[in-house]
Amino acid sequence: AALKKTDVRYLSQPSFRKASINYYHRLAEEGLERTVAEEAALKEAIAHFELGNTSQSIDLLMEFLRNFHQSPLKSSAQALLIEQLPGQIEKLLKNDNYVDAIVLAKQNREFFVNNWIDISLLALLAKAYHELGIYNEARKLYLFLLNTSNPEEQEKYYLPLLTLLHAQGYYDLVEDYATQYNYNYPAGEEKNQILRIRLQSLAASGKKHQALELLSKDIPNIREIEEIAALLFFNDKQFTKVVSLLSPYYLENQIASDDLLHLLAESFFQNNQMSKAEQLYRDIQHNEKFSDQASYRLAMIARDNGDREMSLKLLREIVEEGKDPLWKKLAQKDLEFQKLASQFK
């Protein structure tokens, strides 16, 4: 009788709805008949839902399903829970509450497994795992999405999956899924970004020749890819290609990395473009990582330009103050050679 009275007031008096929560809660806790307790518990969750208290409604519905898992009202509770979960999880993710979103999703895992909730929501959860550094779980979700989504939806999951695989060092899997992507989406929107990750993975796994094969065709005019290509060509002693890739950026003053300036300087040097190499070596001479090599190359250029005094000065500085054993040894040999050569003049 108390439950029916509360129902009547709830339906006929909108102002009573907030207060009805306490009535339903007490009936759910103190109801002598199980059927009354079940119905009151569900209606408390419904009242919260209609008042916009999504979080409380979800908590109550999950509690209902735990306590009354054989109730005839179970399907109604599940339906209301399924209606609210996607929006609540998206809200938590939007507010960067990744842990709460993941916990809520895992507590309701069966709805995703049974496809009762749109599985595209799992992509947001995978991103949350990634943000939290829980890479294994993120990877599992992306793989699940690839295996269960329709072909049109699958394309957008390759790039985040490959990003994760590369970060974790699964280079063989990067190659497998990158190849699969290129086969399925030859004109795909993410083609160039996937090429970038593929090149990085091949280089990291020591498969330089396979990486160079990918660069045998036209290289996309994308800076990140061109920089990776320049490093691969440099290591393969294809210095003309390095110059071709990096020179335009240097001329536009768009190279901020001393590592790239070093590649370009050494490539100019190996191509016998000494004046251009000289300027670049001066630009990176301050960097301890390249200081000894830059000074040694500048000493060679000075010698070839007839400035023996400057050449000897730079070589002595390397021998006396240098840090790199290789360039110190080469500088010492050159000093000895120039000293010996001067005796025969």
Side-chain angles (χ1 to χ4, degrees), residues 29 69 81 86 94 138 173 194 252 259 266 302 305-306 318 336:
E29 292 287 321
H69 55 87
L81 188 54
K94 186 177 180 180
L173 287 177
I194 284 173
E252 295 292 329
D259 290 275
E266 189 67 12
N305 288 339
I318 298 169
E336 293 170 0

Side-chain angles (χ1 to χ4, degrees), residues 21-220:
I21 289 171
N22 294 325
Y23 285 83
Y24 284 130
H25 181 76
R26 188 169 64 251
L27 288 167
E29 292 287 321
E30 300 174 4
L32 298 178
E33 296 181 22
R34 184 176 178 84
T35 55
V36 171
E38 289 176 11
E39 188 175 345
L42 179 58
K43 286 179 175 176
E44 181 186 359
I46 293 171
H48 274 293
F49 167 69
E50 294 194 340
L51 289 167
N53 303 328
T54 305
S55 181
Q56 294 92 324
S57 179
I58 287 173
D59 288 342
L60 288 168
L61 289 167
M62 290 193 299
E63 184 180 348
F64 178 92
L65 292 171
R66 285 195 301 271
N67 295 338
F68 307 114
H69 55 87
Q70 292 186 335
S71 168
L73 299 174
K74 178 181 177 180
S75 59
S76 297
Q78 286 177 326
L80 185 56
L81 188 54
I82 289 167
E83 181 176 346
Q84 295 182 88
L85 277 174
Q88 182 66 3
I89 291 172
E90 287 183 22
K91 179 181 175 183
L92 290 169
L93 292 171
K94 186 177 180 180
N95 294 327
D96 295 338
N97 294 324
Y98 299 125
V99 173
D100 291 341
I102 288 168
V103 169
L104 184 58
K106 291 186 82 169
Q107 288 173 331
N108 295 280
R109 183 175 179 274
E110 66 172 304
F111 298 140
F112 293 99
V113 172
N114 293 326
N115 284 330
W116 293 345
I117 292 179
D118 186 353
I119 62 170
S120 64
L121 184 60
L122 293 178
L124 296 176
L125 291 169
K127 184 179 179 183
Y129 276 122
H130 194 173
E131 294 286 344
L132 292 170
I134 309 174
Y135 297 136
N136 285 338
E137 294 301 320
R139 187 181 73 250
K140 288 175 187 175
L141 281 179
Y142 282 126
L143 287 171
F144 175 78
L145 286 164
L146 274 182
N147 291 325
T148 56
S149 304
N150 60 55
E152 292 76 21
E153 290 289 310
Q154 287 174 9
E155 182 179 0
K156 63 187 176 186
Y157 302 129
Y158 277 93
L159 183 57
L161 172 62
L162 287 165
T163 301
L164 278 170
L165 292 173
H166 174 69
Q168 291 188 282
Y170 293 117
Y171 303 130
D172 288 341
L173 287 177
V174 169
E175 186 64 13
D176 289 344
Y177 282 102
T179 302
Q180 187 180 111
Y181 177 89
N182 289 331
Y183 178 80
N184 291 331
Y185 311 99
E189 292 182 6
E190 308 290 359
K191 183 172 66 173
N192 289 332
Q193 289 304 317
I194 284 173
L195 172 62
R196 171 182 58 80
I197 296 171
R198 191 178 182 186
L199 288 170
Q200 289 172 328
S201 291
L202 287 170
S205 59
K207 297 178 180 178
K208 306 286 196 305
H209 291 296
Q210 281 182 246
L212 288 168
E213 282 179 22
L214 292 177
L215 297 170
S216 61
K217 302 174 183 178
D218 290 339
I219 299 171

Side-chain angles (χ1 to χ4, degrees), residues 237-303:
K237 303 188 186 314
Q238 297 187 49
F239 301 112
T240 300
K241 290 184 178 180
V242 177
V243 168
S244 175
L245 287 168
L246 296 183
S247 286
Y249 294 111
Y250 177 66
L251 292 173
E252 295 292 329
N253 199 28
Q254 292 181 1
I255 298 182
S257 162
D258 283 352
D259 290 275
L260 290 174
L261 290 175
H262 164 256
L263 295 186
L264 186 55
E266 189 67 12
S267 297
F268 277 137
F269 184 88
Q270 297 296 337
N271 276 359
N272 204 33
Q273 295 173 272
M274 295 306 178
S275 61
K276 292 180 179 179
E278 181 178 7
Q279 179 57 53
L280 279 163
Y281 282 127
R282 293 192 190 284
D283 290 342
I284 62 173
Q285 198 175 13
H286 69 281
N287 188 321
E288 188 174 318
K289 181 179 177 181
F290 305 113
S291 179
D292 291 345
Q293 182 181 359
S295 294
Y296 182 80
R297 294 302 194 206
L298 288 169
M300 297 299 96
I301 293 169
R303 182 198 64 194

